[in-house]
C-alpha cells in the first residue's frame, strides 16, 4: 500500500487498530465526488491528459455503480475508504488510476470528504428540524385558545394557551437551525489541494475544485486545512443543544401522559405496552428522546478530547473524529423524527387541561393587576392583598373566583363585582396581549408568522 518501503505486513493488532473502513465506508459518495472534482481540475490544468482522465472517470463511475449495487468488496487490509476506492480503481482501469492521487494526499482528501458529509448532514437535519417545527405549528393552530397551566417550578403559575406552549418549541428549534446554519457557513471552505500539509508544486487550481464541490472558497492555509476539525465540533455542539431542547419536550410528554397529569394522549403509534402490567401504555419514544443528549454531549466531548493538545498538522488521532460524529448525527436525526411524530400523534384532553389550569388560584396575578388598575394600588401592596385573599379562599376551601364579594372587600373597600370578570382562566389568557404573550389572537398571529419565518 505504501510502495517500496514496506516489506512485511502489519501485525493483526496493528491492522485492527488502524483500519477505519468499517465506519468510513460511509464516506464513499463524498470520496467519489471529491475525486471527480480533483480529476477535472488535474485535466484542466494539464496535469493529467484527457485520455487518462477519461479512463479514470469511467473507472470512478464503475466503482460508484458497484457500491450502489452492493457488489463492492470493502477490504479491511486496505485500511480506509480512500485506499479501497483507489485500489479498486486500479483493478478496473490499470496503472493510470495512480494519476488521480497527483497533488493530493489522504489528509486533504479525508478532510474534504468529512466536510462534505457533515455539510450534507446539516442540510438533512435542517429539513428534519423544519418538519418538527411544522408539527408544533400545526398543533398550535389546532389549539390556539385551549387553557392549560403554565408552570414555573412545575407549580401552577399562570394559565396559557396550549398553542402558546407549542410555539415555544418552534423558537427553540429555530435557534438550533440557526446554529447549524452558522456552522455550515464556517465549514464551507475547501481543504482539497492542501495535499499532505504544505501544498503542492503542481499548478493546481484550488478555486476550481472548491466551486465544483459547492464550497465558498479554498481554505487559506494548507496546514490548517488538514488539521481543522472545528466544523465537526461545531456540528456536534449545535446537535447537543438541539438534543437538549428535544429532551425538554420529551420530558413534558412523559409527564403529560402520566395518570397524574393526563394532559395529552399518545396513540399506539408512539407508545409501547408492558410485558407484565396489561394496563400500561408507556411513552418509550419520549423517554428515548429524553436520553439522547448523553450521546450528543458524549460525542462532542470525545472529539474535543481528541483535538485537545494535538500538534499540527494531521495525526492519526483524527481518524477518531468519524464514529462519534456519525453516531451522534444518526441519533439526532431519529430523535427529531420521533419528536415530530409524537407532536402529530399527541391529542390534548381539553377538559383535563382546563381543570388543571384552574387549580391553585392561577389568576391571582390577574386579581392583583385589577387592584392596580382599578383601585390605583401599588403592585407590591396588591400582591400582599391578593396573598391574603388566596389564604382566605384556601381556608374556605373555594377557588378564588368563588370567594364572596364581602370577603374580597376586606382588602379593598372599592372592590366591586366587576372583579370577577378577570378571574376566569379564559379571561386571564385573553388579557395577555403584550407582544409574545399568550392571548389566543397572538397565538394565531404568531403561528402564521412562524410559518413565514421558518417553513
Ligand atoms: N483513514 C484516515 C482518517 O480517517 C485517512 C487519512 C489518513 N492519513 C494518513 N496520513 N495516514 O483520518
Amino acid at each position: 500500500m505504501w510502495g517500496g518501503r514496506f516489506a512485511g505486513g502489519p501485525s493483526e493488532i496493528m491492522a485492527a487498530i488502524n483500519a477505519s473502513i468499517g465506519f468510513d465506508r460511509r464516506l464513499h459518495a463524498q470520496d467519489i465526488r471529491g475525486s471527480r472534482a480533483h480529476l477535472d481540475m488535474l485535466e484542466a490544468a494539464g496535469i493529467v491528459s484527457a485520455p487518462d482522465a477519461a479512463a479514470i472517470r469511467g473507472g470512478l463511475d464503475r466503482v460508484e455503480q458497484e457500491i450502489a449495487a452492493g457488489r463492492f468488496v470493502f477490504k479491511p487490509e486496505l485500511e480506509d475508504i480512500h485506499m479501497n476506492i483507489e485500489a479498486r480503481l486500479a483493478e478496473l482501469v490499470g496503472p493510470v488510476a495512480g494519476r488521480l492521487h497527483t497533488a493530493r494526499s489522504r489528509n486533504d482528501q479525508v478532510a474534504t470528504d468529512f466536510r462534505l458529509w457533515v455539510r450534507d448532514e446539516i442540510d438533512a437535519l435542517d429539513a428534519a428540524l423544519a418538519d418538527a417545527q411544522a408539527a408544533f405549528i400545526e398543533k398550535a393552530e389546532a389549539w390556539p385558545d385551549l387553557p392549560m397551566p403554565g408552570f414555573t417550578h412545575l407549580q401552577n403559575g399562570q394559565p396559557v394557551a396550549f398553542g402558546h406552549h407549542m410555539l415555544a418549541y418552534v423558537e427553540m428549534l429555530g435557534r438550533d437551525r440557526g446554529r447549524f446554519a452558522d456552522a455550515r457557513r464556517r465549514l464551507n471552505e475547501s481543504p482539497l489541494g492542501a495535499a499532505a500539509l504544505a501544498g503542492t508544486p503542481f499548478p493546481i487550481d484550488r478555486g476550481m475544485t472548491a466551486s465544483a464541490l459547492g464550497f465558498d472558497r479554498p481554505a487559506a492555509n494548507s496546514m490548517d486545512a488538514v488539521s481543522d476539525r472545528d466544523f465537526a465540533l461545531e456540528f456536534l455542539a449545535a446537535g447537543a443543544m438541539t438534543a437538549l431542547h428535544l429532551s425538554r419536550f420529551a420530558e413534558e410528554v412523559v409527564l403529560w401522559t402520566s395518570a397524574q397529569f393526563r394532559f395529552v394522549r399518545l396513540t399506539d403509534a408512539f407508545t409501547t405496552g408492558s410485558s407484565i402490567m396489561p394496563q400500561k401504555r408507556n411513552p418509550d419514544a419520549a423517554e428515548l428522546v429524553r436520553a439522547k443528549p448523553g450521546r450528543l454531549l458524549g460525542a462532542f466531548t470525545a472529539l474535543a478530547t481528541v483535538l485537545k493538545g494535538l500538534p499540527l498538522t494531521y495525526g492519526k488521532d483524527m481518524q477518531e473524529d468519524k464514529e462519534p460524529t456519525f453516531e451522534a448525527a444518526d441519533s439526532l436525526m431519529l430523535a427529531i423524527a420521533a419528536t415530530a411524530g409524537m407532536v402529530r400523534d399527541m391529542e390534548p384532553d381539553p377538559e383535563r387541561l382546563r381543570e388543571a389550569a384552574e387549580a391553585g388560584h392561577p389568576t391571582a396575578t390577574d386579581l392583583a393587576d385589577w387592584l392596580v388598575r382599578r383601585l390605583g394600588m401599588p403592585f407590591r401592596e396588591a400582591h400582599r392583598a391578593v396573598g391574603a385573599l388566596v389564604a382566605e379562599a384556601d381556608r374556605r376551601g373555594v377557588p378564588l373566583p368563588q370567594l364572596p364579594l364581602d370577603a374580597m372587600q376586606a382588602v379593598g373597600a372599592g372592590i366591586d363585582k366587576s372583579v370577577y370578570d378577570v378571574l376566569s382562566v379564559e379571561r386571564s389568557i385573553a388579557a395577555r396581549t403584550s407582544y409574545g404573550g399568550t392571548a389566543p389572537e397572538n397565538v394565531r398571529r404568531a403561528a402564521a408568522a412562524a410559518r413565514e419565518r421558518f417553513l
Side-chain angles (χ1 to χ4, degrees), residues 20 24 79-80 82 106-107 110 314 316 318-319 322:
S20 54
D24 69 11
E79 221 184 292
D80 58 24
H82 324 293
R106 273 190 298 161
N107 296 347
V110 73
Y314 178 84
K316 193 66 172 239
M318 288 162 75
Q319 181 167 286
K322 290 175 239 2

Side-chain angles (χ1 to χ4, degrees), residues 3 63 68 112 154 162 183 189 195 222 224 227 250 268 312 321 327 389-390 409 442:
V63 168
T112 304
L154 200 60
F162 189 80
E189 296 187 343
S222 63
D224 176 52
S227 57
D268 296 355
L312 300 187
D321 57 2
E327 212 257 349
L389 292 178
V390 164
Q409 285 166 340
N442 280 13

Side-chain angles (χ1 to χ4, degrees), residues 63-74:
V63 168
E64 186 178 50
Q65 288 154 13
E66 287 182 3
I67 295 174
R71 276 186 288 111
F72 191 95
V73 186
F74 294 96

